[in-house]
C-alpha cells in the first residue's frame, strides 16, 4: 500500500535539561507534515495513550545513569505508547489494530512492523500494555520474585506502594503468602492499600516529620522487615533499613524522592550500610530492561489474574496531548494512584 498524502504530526521535543521539577518550558510543542507513503513492512500509527514514567526524569540527569549518556536534547521525548493502525504495508497489521510501540511523545509515526507489538483488546484493556502487562508489571514481578524472593509469612515493605509498580508489588507479595506493609502519601491512599489491594498494614509517611517516628510505627506494626521493595529512597528508606531482619533482601527499584532536585546532587548517603552488615542482608538494584526477554513469561502468569479480575490495576488518565510535560511532573507530586496515562 502507498499514498502520497501527508498528515499533521505533533511532537514534544526535549529542549532543556531540568535541574528540579519538570515544566513545559523544558519542551517545545511542534507540528510538521508527515508523509504517509509507506515503505516495505512499514505501518502508520496514531497514538491514543501515552505512558509517563519516573525513568524519563532519570534520563534527563546530567551524569551517567544506567545509560552512559542522557536523553539527547532536541529530539522527541522517548516513551511507551499505545496506538491504532491507520494504514499498513506489513502482513499481520490492519487498519484499526491496536499496537504498542516505543515511539515517544508524537501524535503519529511511521514504524517498521518489527518495532510494533500487536495488542488483543479481548485479552485485556489495551492500556494494560503500559501498566500491569507492560513495563511496570515486568518491574514489579521480576523485581519482587527475582531480587526480593519473598517467602510465605515474611514481612514485605513497599515504599511508593500506591504507584504503578508499588501497587502491583503489594498484590504480588500477598500472592506469595507474605505479610505486606505499604507506605504511601495520604490517608486515602493508605485506606486503598488496605481495603482494596489487601495490604496487611499501611502507613502515611506524610504523617511523620522524621525517619525516627516513621521507623517506630513500622516496627510496632511489623516487628521487622524481611524484604524491602524501595521505590522512594530518602527518609522512608532511612526509617526501614535499621529494621531489617537477618538475611533481608532490599530491592532498589527507584529513588523518586531524589529525582526532583537531588538527581545529580543526591543527599548524603548511604549512611545505614552497617545494618546490612549486621543482618547479612543483600541489596540489589533492578531495571525492567534486564527482563525484556522474559516478558512473555510474566504475561503468562499475570494475564490470567487480570482477566479474572484478581489484580487491581487502577489507571489515572490525563486528557490532552498538550498535557504530557505536566503529567510527567505530576508523578513527583503524588496526586495520582496506580498508573498515570495521558489520553490523546
Amino acid at each position: 500500500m502507498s499514498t502520497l498524502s501527508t498528515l499533521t504530526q505533533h511532537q514534544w521535543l526535549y529542549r532543556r535539561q531540568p535541574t528540579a521539577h519538570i515544566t513545559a518550558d523544558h519542551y517545545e510543542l511542534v507540528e510538521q507534515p508527515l508523509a504517509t507513503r509507506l515503505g516495505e513492512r512499514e505501518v502508520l500509527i496514531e497514538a491514543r495513550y501515552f505512558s509517563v514514567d519516573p525513568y524519563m526524569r532519570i534520563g534527563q540527569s546530567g551524569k551517567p545513569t544506567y545509560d552512559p549518556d542522557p536523553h539527547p536534547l532536541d529530539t522527541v521525548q522517548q516513551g511507551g505508547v499505545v496506538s491504532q493502525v491507520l494504514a499498513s504495508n506489513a502482513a499481520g497489521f490492519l487498519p484499526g489494530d491496536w499496537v504498542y510501540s516505543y515511539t515517544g511523545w508524537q501524535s503519529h509515526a511511521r514504524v517498521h512492523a518489527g518495532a510494533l507489538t500487536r495488542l488483543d483488546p479481548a485479552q485485556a484493556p489495551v492500556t494494560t500494555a503500559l501498566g500491569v502487562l507492560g513495563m511496570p508489571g515486568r518491574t514489579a514481578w521480576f523485581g519482587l520474585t527475582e531480587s526480593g524472593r519473598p517467602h510465605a509469612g515474611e514481612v514485605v515493605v513497599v515504599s511508593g506502594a500506591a504507584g504503578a509498580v508499588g501497587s502491583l508489588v503489594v498484590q504480588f507479595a500477598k500472592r506469595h503468602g507474605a505479610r505486606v506493609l505499604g507506605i504511601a502519601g495520604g490517608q486515602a491512599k493508605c485506606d486503598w492499600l488496605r481495603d482494596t489491594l489487601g495490604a496487611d498494614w499501611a502507613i502515611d509517611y506524610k504523617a511523620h516529620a522524621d525517619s525516627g517516628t516513621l521507623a517506630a510505627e513500622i516496627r510496632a506494626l511489623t516487628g521487622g522487615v524481611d524484604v524491602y521493595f524501595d521505590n522512594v529512597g530518602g527518609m522512608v528508606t532511612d526509617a526501614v533499613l535499621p529494621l531489617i531482619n537477618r538475611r533481608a533482601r532490599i530491592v532498589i527499584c527507584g529513588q523518586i524522592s531524589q529525582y526532583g532536585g537531588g538527581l545529580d546532587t543526591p543527599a548524603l548517603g548511604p549512611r545505614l550500610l552497617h545494618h546490612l552488615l549486621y543482618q547479612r542482608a543483600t541489596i540489589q538494584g533492578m531495571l525492567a530492561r534486564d527482563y525484556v526477554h522474559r516478558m512473555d513469561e510474566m504475561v503468562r502468569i499475570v494475564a490470567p489474574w487480570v482477566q479474572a479480575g484478581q489484580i487491581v490495576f487502577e489507571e489515572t488518565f490525563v486528557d490532552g496531548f498538550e498535557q504530557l510535560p505536566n503529567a510527567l511532573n505530576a508523578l513527583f507530586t503524588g496526586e495520582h494512584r496506580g498508573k498515570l496515562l495521558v489520553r490523546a
Side-chain angles (χ1 to χ4, degrees):
M1 175 225 159
S2 66
T3 177
L4 298 177
S5 65
T6 63
L7 52 76
T8 300
Q9 178 191 52
H10 297 87
Q11 297 178 319
W12 276 107
L13 301 183
Y14 173 50
R15 294 295 197 194
R16 283 171 289 279
Q17 183 183 58
T19 56
H21 297 297
I22 301 164
T23 70
D25 293 336
H26 298 108
Y27 293 91
E28 181 184 1
L29 181 57
V30 301
E31 62 178 57
Q32 61 191 5
L34 175 67
T36 59
R37 181 170 182 168
L38 298 176
E40 184 178 358
R41 298 209 69 218
E42 272 198 322
V43 179
L44 177 66
I45 60 174
E46 182 173 10
R48 303 298 188 196
Y49 300 98
F50 297 87
S51 180
V52 288
D53 299 284
Y55 76 80
M56 294 176 176
R57 183 63 181 88
I58 296 177
Q60 297 168 343
S61 171
K63 296 181 179 180
T65 58
Y66 40 74
D67 291 319
D69 298 307
H71 190 300
L73 295 174
D74 305 320
T75 63
V76 174
Q77 172 64 54
Q78 299 171 352
V81 186
V82 166
S83 305
Q84 278 189 291
V85 173
L86 294 183
S88 173
N89 194 25
F93 294 95
L94 297 173
D97 283 351
W98 289 94
V99 294
Y100 167 83
S101 63
Y102 197 72
T103 43
W105 292 5
Q106 51 188 346
S107 60
H108 302 80
R110 292 195 321 269
V111 187
H112 189 275
L116 297 174
T117 300
R118 193 173 180 277
L119 304 176
D120 181 2
Q123 180 189 56
V126 293
T127 50
T128 59
L130 302 174
V132 62
L133 299 181
M135 182 274 292
R138 185 169 73 241
T139 303
W141 180 256
F142 289 111
L144 179 69
T145 60
E146 299 281 314
S147 300
R149 307 185 307 280
H151 301 293
E154 289 190 321
V155 170
V156 175
V157 173
V158 185
S159 63
V165 172
S167 60
L168 297 176
V169 174
V170 168
Q171 296 175 82
F172 294 159
K174 288 299 297 180
R175 284 184 164 271
H176 279 78
R179 295 175 294 155
V180 181
L181 165 64
I183 302 176
Q187 190 58 48
K189 288 183 179 179
C190 290
D191 292 342
W192 180 67
L193 289 172
R194 284 191 303 266
D195 300 340
T196 302
L197 301 194
D200 297 271
W201 314 281
I203 294 178
D204 175 11
Y205 74 87
K206 291 183 177 180
H208 295 273
D210 56 59
S211 62
T213 62
L214 177 57
E217 185 174 0
I218 296 171
R219 184 186 293 279
L221 292 175
T222 68
V225 178
D226 299 298
V227 178
Y228 176 40
F229 197 103
D230 186 15
N231 292 300
V232 172
M235 183 190 82
V236 175
T237 297
D238 282 358
V240 173
L241 287 191
L243 307 178
I244 57 175
N245 293 329
R246 188 69 49 82
R247 310 293 181 193
R249 286 82 69 200
I250 299 162
V251 185
I252 305 299
C253 177
Q255 298 286 281
I256 201 168
S257 68
Q258 305 296 305
Y259 296 168
L263 188 59
D264 293 336
T265 56
L268 179 66
R271 301 176 298 283
L272 303 167
L273 290 182
H274 57 104
H275 292 290
L276 275 74
L277 167 64
Y278 304 154
Q279 301 300 339
R280 283 79 99 193
T282 59
I283 184 168
Q284 182 176 345
M286 74 81 53
L287 292 176
R289 64 176 60 181
D290 295 338
Y291 297 97
V292 170
H293 65 292
R294 296 176 63 183
M295 191 67 185
D296 289 348
E297 175 186 340
M298 185 276 288
V299 170
R300 281 197 303 272
I301 296 169
V302 178
W305 299 339
V306 172
Q307 293 167 338
Q310 297 171 349
I311 291 289
V312 176
F313 54 94
E314 186 151 330
E315 299 169 322
T316 300
F317 292 96
V318 174
D319 285 313
F321 180 79
E322 70 281 0
Q323 296 298 323
L324 274 162
N326 293 332
L328 177 56
N329 187 60
L331 289 173
F332 309 101
T333 63
E335 297 168 358
H336 72 287
R337 212 164 60 187
K339 176 61 186 170
L340 184 62
L341 298 165
V342 173
R343 184 161 39 200

